[in-house]
């Protein structure tokens, strides 16, 4: 019963590098989302998906891409990492849109130097 | 985006004390959620309040939804060190959950 699994747990990138943060859920949830958490800023929504093949932007989408080719996976891509993207990233899934119980992964702590 | 304001931002108390955390908005929400987040972990749902004026109890935690469904409070009775963590309120706004900035609670023995 894994729930939401994020990899890696920690990552250090150099400015300009690209990478993909992985997120997988085994609960057959339709709705998935990515948040970033910064001190004093709370959780801010980056992108979300209401189902396979459908994605949309959240509050802070710039510099990030997502895709949802399967129900289970929702990877987040950093196109060209910048120090401002240093943060803790959380992936979450909900049974469906409108279901307010979000299940979160353990997070990825990303540092961009 | 409907803003959720939480207060206080930080709270440090001793074991056995009572405390209240507030979550306020100028907008009406169909429901509000409270999550708790421990260091190095993702947030975990504690409760959802749906009806204006609703009160829900979870052991020593009491959650209240305002009559106008614009605010909520979390009251902890006889706090314990295990209550330490970040408490977040959230409400559905459009297609996403909108989170407050959180209240960081430290309970010392």
């Amino acid at each position: 019963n894994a729930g939401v699994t994020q990899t890696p747990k920690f990552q250090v990138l150099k400015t300009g590098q690209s990478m993909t943060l992985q997120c997988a859920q085994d609960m057959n949830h339709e709705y998935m989302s990515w948040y970033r958490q910064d001190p004093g800023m709370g959780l801010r929504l980056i992108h979300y998906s209401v189902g396979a093949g459908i994605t949309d932007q959240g509050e802070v989408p710039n510099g990030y891409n997502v895709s949802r080719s399967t129900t289970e996976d929702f990877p987040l891509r950093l196109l060209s990492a910048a120090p401002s993207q240093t943060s803790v990233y959380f992936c979450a899934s909900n049974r469906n849109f409108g279901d307010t119980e979000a299940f979160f992964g353990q997070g990825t702590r990303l540092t961009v130097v | 985006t409907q803003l959720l304001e939480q207060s206080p931002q930080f709270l440090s108390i001793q074991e056995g004390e009572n405390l209240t955390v507030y979550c306020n908005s100028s907008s009406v929400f169909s429901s509000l959620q409270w999550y708790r987040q421990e260091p190095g972990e993702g947030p975990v749902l504690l409760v959802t309040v749906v009806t204006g004026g609703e009160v829900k109890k979870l052991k020593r935690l009491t959650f209240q939804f305002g009559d106008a469904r614009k605010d909520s409070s979390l009251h902890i009775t006889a706090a314990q060190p295990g209550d330490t963590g970040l408490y977040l309120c959230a409400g559905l706004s459009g297609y996403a959950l909108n989170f407050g900035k959180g209240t960081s609670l430290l309970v010392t023995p």
Side-chain angles (χ1 to χ4, degrees):
Chain A
N1 192 12
V4 179
T5 302
Q6 288 184 238
T7 55
K9 195 165 178 63
F10 301 95
Q11 183 70 49
V12 179
L13 286 179
K14 293 184 178 179
T15 297
Q17 286 185 317
S18 62
M19 80 158 295
T20 300
L21 278 61
Q22 301 291 343
C23 176
Q25 52 92 8
D26 62 358
M27 297 172 283
N28 202 32
H29 283 177
E30 289 295 322
Y31 185 93
M32 296 186 74
S33 52
W34 276 101
Y35 291 86
R36 60 178 289 175
Q37 187 173 35
D38 302 291
M41 299 297 290
L43 284 161
R44 293 182 292 170
L45 181 68
I46 304 171
H47 285 285
Y48 65 91
S49 169
V50 299
I54 306 169
T55 64
D56 207 344
Q57 297 180 349
E59 181 185 354
V60 288
N62 291 341
Y64 308 95
N65 272 356
V66 292
S67 59
R68 185 94 180 272
S69 56
T70 67
T71 298
E72 294 78 20
D73 300 300
F74 191 43
L76 178 72
R77 297 183 189 86
L78 278 71
L79 309 172
S80 177
S84 61
Q85 293 179 303
T86 292
S87 186
V88 181
Y89 292 85
F90 286 99
C91 177
S93 73
N94 302 49
R95 187 171 51 192
N96 49 51
F97 164 64
D99 184 345
T100 54
E101 181 174 10
F103 293 83
F104 284 84
Q106 289 195 307
T108 296
R109 183 173 293 275
L110 175 68
T111 302
V112 183
V113 297
Chain B
T1 303
Q2 297 167 294
L3 292 177
L4 288 164
E5 301 285 343
Q6 286 190 242
S7 60
Q9 190 176 359
F10 300 99
L11 198 51
S12 180
I13 61 172
Q14 291 196 312
E15 183 176 4
E17 293 184 16
N18 302 331
L19 68 118
T20 301
V21 175
Y22 299 93
C23 174
N24 295 297
S25 175
S26 58
S27 303
V28 175
F29 285 91
S30 57
S31 67
L32 279 179
Q33 294 76 45
W34 285 94
Y35 288 78
R36 183 169 74 194
Q37 183 179 18
E38 298 186 13
E41 302 290 331
V44 175
L45 181 69
L46 294 174
V47 77
T48 296
V49 286
V50 178
T51 306
E54 181 177 6
V55 177
K56 281 192 174 179
K57 292 191 175 184
L58 189 65
K59 297 183 181 178
R60 294 174 295 98
L61 279 61
T62 301
F63 304 85
Q64 187 162 6
F65 200 14
D67 291 341
R69 292 186 288 128
K70 293 182 178 181
D71 55 86
S72 182
S73 63
L74 158 60
H75 182 79
I76 301 179
T77 303
Q80 300 177 357
D83 295 326
T84 292
L86 180 67
Y87 289 82
L88 297 155
C89 67
L92 193 62
S93 175
Y95 281 90
L97 276 178
N98 183 31
F99 284 84
K101 293 182 180 180
T103 293
S104 182
L105 172 64
L106 174 64
V107 183
T108 53

